[in-house]
């Protein structure tokens, strides 16, 4: 799966160094997004070395914006720096996926409850529109495969982002975005057939209904069940792969 723009950002502020020329900063941000999307989609594999020469050829940009993009991306732990040897894509392990899942289960209900406390009619409209978009996107998997379609992944992320969009805890939202990137990466790496599209759509429908009914308690319960079910499916696929190797 080749991703376009899988990330829904809550803060579009320029995070480039203060003395970076604006054109260069824009280029750095663009290559950062492309590199991140290639890692999340699985186009760049766990442990793959990220040398400047190969990245310059892949993305058609200079060394300076690439270095800035790699430096920014390293803070998300999607890549790891190696002393004097550049960067590698972070490994993918069962233990790390378990940590991602446990952390999401701990913090995302807090964000859901915050969203309910701050949400208004416009928020309800965003959630409903995002659900209709997800439902109308079509099949989750590419035909004849268990590879998640880019269009579905974008609509899926947009729905979750819409539910959380009115939460007032902005720093926690930024952290949740990083957790989402990691969870999505694992989904794409395992291409898990255990993720039933009909079940997922039903779970999203239920969450949407709780927003319209303003039932925060039920929303938190359904949200965690949704994350747990999907996460367990990915973990099962990963454990099976480990057992086969």
């Amino acid at each position: 799966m080749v991703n376009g723009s899988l990330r829904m950002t809550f803060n579009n502020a320029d995070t480039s160094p203060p003395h970076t020329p604006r054109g260069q900063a824009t280029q750095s941000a663009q290559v950062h997004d492309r590199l991140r999307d290639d890692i999340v989609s699985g186009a760049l594999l766990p442990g793959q070395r990220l040398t400047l020469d190969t990245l310059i050829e892949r993305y058609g940009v200079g060394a300076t914006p690439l270095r800035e993009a790699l430096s920014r991306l390293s803070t998300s732990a999607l890549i790891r720096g190696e002393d004097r040897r550049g960067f590698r894509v972070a490994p993918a392990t069962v233990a790390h996926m378990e940590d991602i899942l446990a952390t999401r289960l701990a913090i995302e209900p807090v964000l859901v409850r915050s969203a309910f406390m701050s949400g208004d009619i416009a928020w309800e409209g965003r959630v409903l529109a995002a659900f209709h978009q997800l439902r109308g996107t079509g099949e989750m998997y590419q035909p004849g495969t268990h590879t998640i379609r880019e269009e579905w992944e974008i609509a899926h992320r947009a729905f979750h982002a819409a539910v959380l969009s009115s939460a007032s805890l902005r720093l926690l939202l930024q952290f949740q975005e990083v957790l989402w990137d990691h969870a999505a990466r694992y989904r794409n790496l395992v291409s898990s057939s255990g993720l039933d599209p009909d079940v997922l759509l039903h779970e999203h429908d239920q969450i949407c209904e709780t927003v319209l009914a303003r039932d925060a308690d039920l929303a938190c319960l359904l949200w965690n069940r949704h994350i747990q079910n999907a996460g367990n499916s990915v973990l099962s696929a990963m454990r099976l792969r480990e057992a086969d190797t």
Side-chain angles (χ1 to χ4, degrees), residues 50-207:
L50 302 173
T51 65
L52 283 178
D53 288 343
T54 58
L55 295 178
I56 287 170
E57 182 178 355
R58 183 182 183 95
Y59 299 113
V61 297
T64 298
L66 267 172
R67 287 193 184 96
E68 292 172 358
L70 288 166
S71 178
R72 285 180 57 198
L73 197 58
S74 66
T75 64
S76 71
L78 285 169
I79 64 174
R80 293 187 177 180
E82 299 181 316
D83 290 343
R84 300 183 181 180
R85 290 184 293 175
F87 293 90
R88 286 187 185 273
V89 178
T93 66
V94 168
H96 185 244
M97 177 56 197
E98 288 173 339
D99 193 16
I100 293 296
L101 178 58
T103 306
R104 291 188 69 192
L105 290 170
I107 73 163
E108 292 197 21
V110 176
L111 288 169
V112 171
R113 198 167 293 279
S114 175
F116 271 79
M117 291 177 64
S118 304
D120 54 13
I121 295 297
W123 169 63
E124 293 180 16
R126 291 195 300 274
V127 173
L128 186 58
F131 174 70
H132 285 313
Q133 181 66 41
L134 176 60
R135 185 171 59 184
T137 296
E139 296 296 326
M140 175 179 173
Y141 296 114
Q142 294 180 16
T145 75
H146 292 129
T147 300
I148 297 173
R149 294 172 56 243
E150 178 185 359
E151 294 82 0
W152 186 91
E153 181 64 48
I154 291 172
H156 181 215
R157 182 165 199 156
F159 174 75
H160 280 249
V163 174
L164 301 180
S165 63
S166 65
S168 60
L169 305 171
R170 312 313 287 182
L171 290 176
L172 199 58
L173 278 170
Q174 292 173 15
F175 181 46
Q176 186 272 340
E177 288 183 341
V178 174
L179 293 174
W180 179 282
D181 283 340
H182 284 277
R185 176 179 178 236
Y186 280 106
R187 281 198 302 272
N188 290 322
L189 287 172
V190 302
S191 299
S192 175
S193 59
L195 292 170
D196 188 318
D198 293 333
V199 171
L200 290 178
L201 184 62
H202 178 63
E203 291 175 350
H204 291 126
D205 187 13
Q206 288 182 309
I207 291 169

Side-chain angles (χ1 to χ4, degrees), residues 19 21 25 34 48-49 56 65 69 102 128 130 156 195 215 225 232:
H19 302 298
R34 291 175 63 192
Q48 185 170 337
R49 193 175 178 194
I56 287 170
L128 186 58
H156 181 215
L195 292 170
D215 190 338
R225 187 183 70 179
N232 285 344

Side-chain angles (χ1 to χ4, degrees), residues 1-14:
M1 180 174 72
V2 179
N3 289 342
S5 179
L6 299 187
R7 192 175 179 93
M8 303 287 293
T9 56
F10 292 96
N11 184 354
N12 294 321
D14 186 358

Side-chain angles (χ1 to χ4, degrees), residues 205-220:
D205 187 13
Q206 288 182 309
I207 291 169
C208 183
E209 289 297 325
T210 64
V211 170
L212 300 180
R214 291 302 184 110
D215 190 338
D217 290 336
L218 182 57
C220 289

